Amino acid sequence: MRKIDRSRIRSAAAAAVTVALGCTAFAALPSTAGAAAAADGLVVQYRTSASGATADQSEPWLKVRNTGSTSVPLSNVKVRYYFKADSASTAYRFACSWAVKGCGNITGTFGTLANPTADADRYLEIAFTSGAGSLAPGADTGDMQLRFHRADWQSLRQSDDYSFGAARTSYGDWPKITAQLGGVTAWGEAPGGNGPTDPTDPTDPPTDPPADGPRLFDDFNYSGHTDPGIAAHGWSVRSNSGGPGVPGAVWAPENVTFSSQSGNSVMNLETSTAGTGASTEHTEILTQATKFRNGTYAARVKFSDAPRSGPDGDHLVQTFFTINDLKAPMADDYAEYDFEYLPNGGWGEPANILYTTSWETYRPDPWEAVNQHSEARQSYAGWHDLVVTIDNSAITYYVDGQHFGTHGAAYLPERPMSINFNQWLIDLAGQSSTTPRSYDQQVDYVLHVKDQVLSPAQVSALVGQYRAAGTTFQDTVPAG
């Protein structure tokens, strides 16, 4: 984790991946008579801003309209645009140029159809973070000016794409794009034999976890920060100076402690301050090796809204993340994937917020960042199961078994990473008191399964197997 100005990240992230398009005036058309019925009260309207048979990029501009009688949370909606890849090996990249709901609240993920047809073997799935809000009855999302292109920036052919409509230069209902509401098809018709399913979850995953494959599991069953087992098991308790956090603060290894709760050993990270940099103590534990890349990462973490003692209000960050080093400004092989909980706000936020962020790269000075994030503005005090999966197409985050966000292939890691937990103060602006106070973040376990995407249910089953067998540690992940 590094010292960064996240208020700048949130505004710079969209700009770093956005190419502005010229504004074109148009009006939404009324619903087309004879279009597919919206069984659950959704309609997808479509127009193209690139109508040629071939193009530098495909530009499906969309609106989703609620034709039902109740409000629809957009985080429950998924939209699919179907197309024919130029070749089996062609990779694609998604971008949002502009959206009324905000590009930061829209994600795009590519998938492969189980039953290819003459005009579709791939799809682009559009999903929404909780920050996109809800659609009231009769409301629509407004413009979503979306685009995708070949990763090699060669021209793509779209005239043979199932969802493409060359004549659709104004918005109108378009049943060749599907929408799901809560996992149920609410609009449109997929290419033959390809009913929409969630591309980021295993389809009908077995309840039993895979029986083989390299793994790291640690139940954090240690006596204290000086326990030789910590280093022997590949962990380092941070004591060196530097960011992120309050200038002048120290990273205090003695504030990483362990205790037994309900039969499980639990690690506690304590962060404290008396309102000055010199009195501030941060905490962090990380793997010594950077050997983790694709696969499943999971941890059970207890976030805290209130301090253990003293006055509340500090701009605190409680985390679980993976990261590697930035070799040079804007280096394209940098990677970082974060769960970050801010119980008292910070980075321009006034109150509780949980972020998940996937990083492609950044430059510290002058600041420039390329990342994608999802967020939820609510309290997450208490224990939570955090899971992030990385495969060859997307990064997907889950909280307590529920999908939290999916980030695109542009943010996939090129190099292995370490696994980290830390707790630190962004600044001292949230609380001016000089009364000492301390905050706790607790961790029950951590799990990594190399090169396998597990569902949250499979993660729980695998952890249960370890505990039933009395196994408190295993690391079979090869180095490098």
Side-chain angles (χ1 to χ4, degrees):
M1 221 42 181
R2 59 198 176 283
K3 183 178 179 181
I4 49 180
D5 182 352
R6 289 303 177 98
S7 64
R8 297 173 68 186
I9 289 173
R10 306 304 169 195
S11 60
V17 298
T18 298
V19 176
L21 296 182
C23 295
T24 304
F26 49 82
L29 296 179
S31 298
T32 304
D40 291 310
L42 292 181
V43 164
V44 178
Q45 294 191 325
Y46 161 81
R47 62 156 293 185
T48 180
S49 187
S51 58
T54 61
D56 291 337
Q57 52 191 344
S58 186
E59 298 183 31
W61 292 12
L62 306 177
K63 292 182 181 181
V64 179
R65 182 160 54 91
N66 179 8
T67 59
S69 59
T70 59
S71 182
V72 173
L74 280 169
S75 59
N76 290 341
V77 174
K78 293 182 178 180
V79 177
R80 280 192 181 180
Y81 179 96
Y82 301 89
F83 65 98
K84 180 78 170 179
D86 289 344
S87 72
S89 61
T90 302
Y92 293 86
R93 298 289 184 264
F94 165 79
C96 172
S97 295
W98 186 81
V100 172
K101 290 293 185 179
C103 283
N105 293 317
I106 298 171
T107 64
T109 304
F110 293 98
T112 302
L113 291 181
N115 300 293
T117 67
D119 53 7
D121 55 13
R122 306 277 185 95
Y123 56 82
L124 167 63
E125 181 170 275
I126 304 302
F128 302 87
T129 72
S130 58
S134 298
L135 289 182
D140 64 45
T141 58
D143 291 333
M144 294 186 289
Q145 298 181 7
L146 312 179
R147 56 192 172 90
F148 65 92
H149 59 85
R150 288 177 52 144
D152 58 10
W153 278 107
Q154 297 296 308
S155 293
L156 56 78
R157 175 169 295 280
Q158 56 181 358
S159 58
D160 59 352
D161 292 347
Y162 176 84
S163 295
F164 174 67
R168 292 282 176 166
T169 56
S170 298
Y171 274 115
D173 298 357
W174 193 236
K176 288 191 171 185
I177 296 174
T178 59
Q180 283 186 289
L181 177 57
V184 177
T185 301
W187 171 260
E189 183 177 351
N194 290 281
T197 56
D198 184 348
T200 62
D201 292 332
T203 301
D204 297 324
T207 55
D208 293 333
D212 55 5
R215 304 170 183 170
L216 166 69
F217 173 75
D218 201 329
D219 207 22
F220 294 112
N221 189 15
Y222 304 107
S223 60
H225 75 281
T226 59
D227 188 326
I230 293 177
H233 290 167
W235 294 98
S236 175
V237 181
R238 182 175 177 181
S239 59
N240 59 296
S241 61
V246 175
V250 299
W251 295 84
E254 66 273 14
N255 290 344
V256 177
T257 58
F258 303 86
S259 63
S260 179
Q261 296 183 18
S262 302
N264 291 323
S265 180
V266 171
M267 176 172 65
N268 189 75
L269 306 180
E270 177 187 344
T271 291
S272 60
T273 188
T276 66
S279 67
T280 301
E281 295 182 347
H282 299 150
T283 45
E284 181 169 20
I285 185 169
L286 64 154
T287 60
Q288 300 168 18
T290 52
K291 62 178 183 177
F292 308 98
R293 189 173 171 180
N294 285 16
T296 300
Y297 300 81
R300 184 164 174 79
V301 177
K302 186 177 183 181
F303 296 129
S304 301
D305 278 355
R308 182 205 303 173
S309 61
D312 196 4
D314 288 292
H315 291 159
L316 187 72
V317 186
Q318 301 176 329
T319 77
F320 166 43
F321 65 102
T322 68
I323 193 171
N324 59 30
D325 59 316
L326 182 72
K327 292 183 175 181
M330 301 302 288
D332 61 5
D333 61 352
Y334 176 74
E336 179 181 349
Y337 308 98
D338 303 328
F339 288 93
E340 295 172 309
Y341 180 55
L342 282 59
N344 296 314
W347 296 327
E349 293 290 332
N352 328 68
I353 188 167
L354 176 64
Y355 287 111
T356 60
T357 309
S358 301
W359 288 79
E360 168 64 12
T361 190
Y362 74 103
R363 177 172 56 207
D365 188 23
W367 180 256
E368 184 177 358
V370 181
N371 61 25
Q372 184 176 352
H373 77 275
S374 306
E375 77 279 333
R377 292 174 174 84
Q378 66 183 66
S379 172
Y380 279 87
W383 285 104
H384 296 282
D385 295 310
L386 310 179
V387 177
V388 56
T389 65
I390 304 174
D391 58 21
N392 289 323
S393 61
I395 305 101
T396 306
Y397 296 87
Y398 302 88
V399 177
D400 297 329
Q402 300 299 308
H403 178 258
F404 190 89
T406 298
H407 301 162
Y411 307 96
L412 293 172
E414 286 86 9
R415 290 190 291 124
M417 302 168 288
S418 62
I419 298 175
N420 306 51
F421 299 89
N422 65 17
Q423 183 180 220
W424 48 281
L425 298 181
I426 299 170
D427 53 42
L428 298 172
Q431 172 57 264
S432 60
S433 173
T434 57
T435 300
R437 57 268 191 190
S438 62
Y439 299 83
D440 291 335
Q441 173 188 344
Q442 297 183 338
V443 183
D444 185 10
Y445 70 83
V446 67
L447 171 72
H448 172 68
V449 180
K450 177 179 169 62
D451 295 333
Q452 293 182 333
V453 171
L454 273 61
S455 69
Q458 289 176 309
V459 168
S460 295
L462 184 54
V463 172
Q465 286 183 8
Y466 277 118
R467 288 185 164 162
T471 302
T472 61
F473 177 80
Q474 181 187 46
D475 186 3
T476 57
V477 179

